[in-house]
Amino acid sequence: MRVLVVTAVPVERDAVTRAYGDEPEVRRVRGAEIHRAGPLDVLAGGAGPAASAASAAFALAADRYDLAVSAGIGGGFAPVAPLGSLAVSRRVVAADLGADTPEGFMPVTELGFGRAAHHPPRSLVRAAAEATGATAGDILTVSTVTGTADRTAALLAAHPHAVAESMEGFGVAEAADLAGVPVLEIRAVSNVVGPRDRDAWRIGDALTALTEAFGKLIPVLEGWTRHDRDDTAD
């Protein structure tokens, strides 16, 4: 069983590999530096959906994987995902992929091309949430981090089941889909989605939560890869 985990930056990558204690084995493939820890190959693929898609695609082409995971810290929607908590994706959603119109935002699916969401395996979402205590729901991928109350309200109006936002999940999901590999996203909440207040962010606490989460996920991943491979989420 081999799992590709894609984070945005090295500090998130190291939080994941730290769950296994030993110094990770480092190897380089074209377009990516892979840190191997147990069954996980972890890479820091860069910020944003384009960078994460490109780095994930290179890694997925270089080896065979059973699952791709987009992981790291992110913003949580209050009150369902408070600071320091975990969120796991029932859907990985491209929240700002579409067109601005006089009637409001129109997602790419309503424009008649592309897709706006990927569905992780339902059984894996349940098992990951139970093992880690994560809240399951939509994790929104945005190219610009939300920093106002108005934008927060607009996102929740369009995505009432949103629990968190990140900048990479949908990019990893697109690469995984092209490679024929299922995807999951898990986020440790470092800040509340809303008016930007860096002083209130708890990045260290979120990174600790991320390490603890991956410490609990290995038996979940091992159990799931033996069963229910074609089980897709609602």
Side-chain angles (χ1 to χ4, degrees), residues 67-157:
L67 176 72
V69 180
S70 176
I73 63 175
F77 287 94
V80 294
L83 291 174
S85 68
L86 296 166
V88 65
S89 56
R90 282 202 180 105
R91 296 196 310 157
V92 181
V93 180
D96 54 11
L97 181 62
D100 195 16
T101 76
E103 292 75 32
F105 176 75
M106 181 178 293
V108 67
T109 49
E110 293 185 20
L111 296 173
F113 54 88
R115 78 177 82 193
H118 288 270
H119 296 75
R122 183 170 55 235
S123 59
L124 180 58
V125 173
R126 284 196 303 265
E130 289 171 3
T132 63
T135 299
D138 292 353
I139 299 183
L140 310 184
T141 300
V142 295
S143 295
T144 301
V145 173
T146 301
T148 67
D150 286 347
R151 179 59 177 158
T152 303
L155 286 173
L156 286 173

Side-chain angles (χ1 to χ4, degrees), residues 145-174:
V145 173
T146 301
T148 67
D150 286 347
R151 179 59 177 158
T152 303
L155 286 173
L156 286 173
H159 307 284
H161 301 295
V163 293
E165 74 169 21
S166 74
M167 300 179 72
E168 292 79 34
F170 192 78
V172 175
E174 287 281 89

Side-chain angles (χ1 to χ4, degrees), residues 11 92 121 207 220 232:
V11 69
V92 181
L207 291 170
V220 170
T232 55

Side-chain angles (χ1 to χ4, degrees), residues 7-18:
T7 71
V9 294
V11 69
E12 294 170 316
R13 177 199 65 206
D14 296 343
V16 173
T17 61
R18 196 176 300 123

